[in-house]
């Protein structure tokens, strides 16, 4: 084992670790693993060779064993690194960030965040706009649904945070150290990934408390829920490719945050709307607002958030892809194309609901058709979320892929 690792005093990218004993002549391999700016483990290896000079070349009183550090001429290295590299030995037991387990953890985490954002968007935007348009109060059943969805989604976010910590420890320190949360956790928390994880815990707790308060103290409850939701929208950027983008400042982080808000405001609130439609007993219920009015209020809001999602997604692609050809020549580009292929039907179904299904609801028909089409839209969107969980673990072309 090496001595304690320290940072080079004149460089932010160089680490120093002393060899505690003299090295004999031979070939050596150094395997390393660090946590990148985007929170992904980065691993690699390089080799070097120590050659003992002939006796006649040694200085007086010298010996080959007294100079264990190889000179520039003796060092023969073949450095290689990858976001998903799995060197042999102990490091090879680490959980790959592209594994099915880690992908599912990210998928559940994203779903929880979108649920919180959707509940806030529906409760603070869709319901007030629907009531304002028709001059009619929102019934207690529909009014309570966003809060209930928010409570469940906040709980999912907190549970997912625990799963993320265990998975990240398994990825960085190995599966054997995954559950030993007291060991080396400070090394994770000190990274941008760790900052995002802490924010997720605090924001998820704030949102949970807020959603539970909306029934008795709506102003305070919705305020806490909104604060928690906006804070949660920042966390994916702190553990994604936005942190490793170079030369663009904080724009990638801002774009990723708005991208998450756009997804939550559209897809998350669609889930709340679909749940409201499933629980409503009649479109003409005198004690509640009609489904037609809810869809009418939802449509312009969803259109706005969908536009935010599209613009920020294209901006992210421009940042993370080297050129147009990388869409089909790199793993990152191909996964991005798969995401676009799934996202296109989501936009198409949304347009169909707005242009064809909503007018039928105004005539007192189409309730069942809306539930089916909105359910399909939500199902395809969940697949987009799954592909996104794969995309964020795929090395960018700018990082050697």
């Amino acid at each position: 084992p090496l001595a304690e690792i320290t940072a080079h005093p004149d460089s932010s990218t160089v680490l120093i670790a002393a060899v505690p004993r003299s090295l004999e002549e031979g070939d050596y391999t150094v395997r390393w693993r660090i946590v990148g700016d985007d929170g992904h483990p980065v691993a690699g290896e390089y080799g070097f060779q120590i050659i003992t000079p002939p006796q006649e070349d040694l200085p007086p009183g010298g010996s080959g064993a007294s100079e264990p550090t190889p000179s520039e001429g003796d060092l023969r290295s073949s450095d290689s690194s990858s976001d998903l590299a799995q060197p042999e030995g102990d490091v090879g037991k680490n959980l790959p960030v592209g594994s099915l387990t880690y992908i599912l953890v990210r998928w559940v985490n994203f779903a929880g965040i979108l649920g919180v954002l959707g509940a806030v968007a529906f409760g603070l935007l869709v319901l007030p706009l629907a009531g304002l348009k028709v001059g009619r109060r929102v019934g207690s059943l529909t009014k309570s649904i966003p809060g209930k969805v928010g409570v469940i989604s906040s709980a999912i976010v907190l549970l997912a945070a625990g799963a993320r910590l265990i998975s990240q420890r398994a990825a960085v320190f190995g599966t054997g150290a995954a559950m030993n949360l007291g060991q080396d956790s400070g090394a994770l928390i000190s990274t941008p990934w760790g900052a995002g994880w802490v924010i997720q815990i605090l924001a998820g707790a704030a949102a949970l408390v807020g959603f539970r308060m909306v029934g008795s103290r709506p102003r305070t409850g919705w305020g806490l829920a909104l604060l928690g939701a906006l804070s949660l929208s920042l966390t994916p950027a702190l553990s994604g490719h936005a942190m490793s983008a170079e030369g663009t400042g904080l724009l990638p982080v801002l774009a990723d945050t708005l991208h998450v808000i756009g997804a939550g405001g559209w897809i998350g609130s669609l889930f709340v709307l679909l749940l409201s439609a499933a629980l409503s007993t009649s479109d003409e219920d005198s004690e509640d607002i009609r489904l037609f009015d809810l869809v009418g209020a939802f449509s312009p809001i969803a259109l706005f958030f969908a536009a935010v999602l599209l613009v920020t997604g294209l901006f992210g692609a421009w940042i993370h892809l080297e050129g147009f050809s990388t869409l089909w020549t790199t793993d990152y580009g191909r996964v991005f194309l798969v995401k676009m292929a799934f996202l296109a039907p989501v936009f198409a179904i949304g347009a169909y609901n707005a242009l064809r299904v909503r007018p039928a609801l105004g005539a007192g028909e189409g309730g069942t058709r809306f539930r089916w089409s909105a359910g399909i839209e939500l199902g395809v969107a969940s697949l987009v979320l799954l592909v996104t969980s794969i995309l964020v673990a795929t090395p960018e072309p700018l990082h050697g892929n």
Side-chain angles (χ1 to χ4, degrees):
L2 299 176
E4 181 180 357
I5 298 176
T6 60
H8 192 285
D10 300 324
S11 174
S12 60
T13 60
V14 176
L15 299 176
I16 300 175
V19 180
R21 61 181 177 84
S22 297
L23 299 181
E24 299 177 354
E25 182 177 2
D27 297 324
Y28 294 86
T29 300
V30 177
R31 297 186 179 97
W32 55 269
R33 175 178 289 269
I34 62 172
V35 180
D37 290 335
D38 57 4
H40 297 157
V42 182
E45 65 178 49
Y46 63 89
F48 65 88
Q49 184 180 63
I50 293 181
I51 301 175
T52 302
Q55 289 295 323
E56 58 269 18
D57 294 338
L58 294 176
S63 66
S66 64
E67 296 292 341
T69 303
S71 65
E72 181 179 354
D74 296 330
L75 186 61
R76 304 174 185 174
S77 65
S78 56
D79 192 11
S80 62
S81 64
S82 169
D83 280 353
L84 304 180
Q86 292 293 316
E88 298 177 358
D90 293 338
V91 178
K93 298 177 182 178
N94 295 65
L95 177 70
V97 293
S99 65
L100 179 61
T101 298
Y102 213 151
I103 289 171
L104 291 178
V105 168
R106 284 192 294 268
W107 183 79
V108 172
N109 182 60
F110 290 158
I113 293 174
L114 296 195
V116 170
L117 287 164
V120 169
F122 197 87
L124 293 182
L125 297 176
V126 176
L127 289 185
L129 181 58
L132 183 64
K133 279 187 172 184
V134 300
R136 184 180 181 185
R137 72 181 181 87
V138 177
S140 58
L141 175 62
T142 301
K143 193 174 183 179
S144 66
I145 291 176
K148 293 178 180 178
V149 172
V151 168
I152 295 174
S153 299
S154 300
I156 291 175
V157 164
L158 293 175
L159 291 174
R164 286 185 65 214
L165 179 60
I166 294 173
S167 300
Q168 186 74 355
R169 287 188 57 83
V172 176
F173 304 118
T175 53
M179 300 301 296
N180 189 3
L181 303 182
Q183 179 183 359
D184 297 323
S185 290
L188 289 180
I189 302 303
S190 63
T191 65
W193 185 96
W197 184 82
V198 171
I199 292 174
Q200 179 172 339
I201 293 291
L202 298 176
L208 179 62
V209 172
F211 284 122
R212 289 184 61 87
M213 293 176 60
V214 295
S216 57
R217 301 173 62 183
R219 180 170 297 183
T220 303
W222 282 117
L224 274 176
L226 176 62
L227 176 63
L230 293 178
S231 300
L232 284 174
S233 66
L234 173 65
T235 58
L238 296 179
S239 58
H241 292 312
M243 294 305 301
S244 60
E246 300 177 355
T248 50
L250 293 177
L251 279 179
V253 175
L254 176 60
D256 266 25
T257 302
L258 292 176
H259 192 69
V260 173
I261 292 175
W266 175 21
I267 303 302
S269 59
L270 174 64
F271 173 73
V272 183
L273 176 62
L274 185 60
L275 189 59
S276 301
L279 296 178
S280 63
T281 57
S282 171
D283 289 346
E284 301 298 331
D285 187 355
S286 60
E287 295 182 357
D288 208 342
I289 199 165
R290 296 183 304 165
L291 177 59
F292 169 75
D293 299 318
L294 286 176
V295 175
F298 168 78
S299 293
I301 294 172
L303 181 62
F304 169 77
F305 283 118
V308 172
L309 178 72
L310 180 61
V311 171
T312 53
L314 293 176
F315 177 76
W318 175 72
I319 289 178
H320 299 305
L321 291 169
E322 280 188 308
F324 190 70
S325 63
T326 56
L327 284 171
W328 58 84
T329 59
T330 65
D331 290 339
Y332 185 91
R334 287 187 285 268
V335 176
F336 180 81
L337 285 178
V338 172
K339 179 179 178 179
M340 292 298 101
F342 279 113
L343 191 59
V346 179
F347 279 99
I349 297 171
Y352 172 78
N353 287 334
L355 299 176
R356 300 296 297 273
V357 179
R358 178 172 172 258
L361 290 173
E365 304 173 353
T368 301
R369 185 166 59 167
F370 170 77
R371 294 180 182 93
W372 272 102
S373 60
I376 294 173
E377 181 181 358
L378 199 62
V380 179
S382 68
L383 294 178
V384 174
L385 204 60
L386 182 62
V387 176
T388 302
S389 302
I390 299 173
L391 184 66
V392 298
T394 305
E396 301 171 85
L398 292 176
H399 289 97
N401 190 7

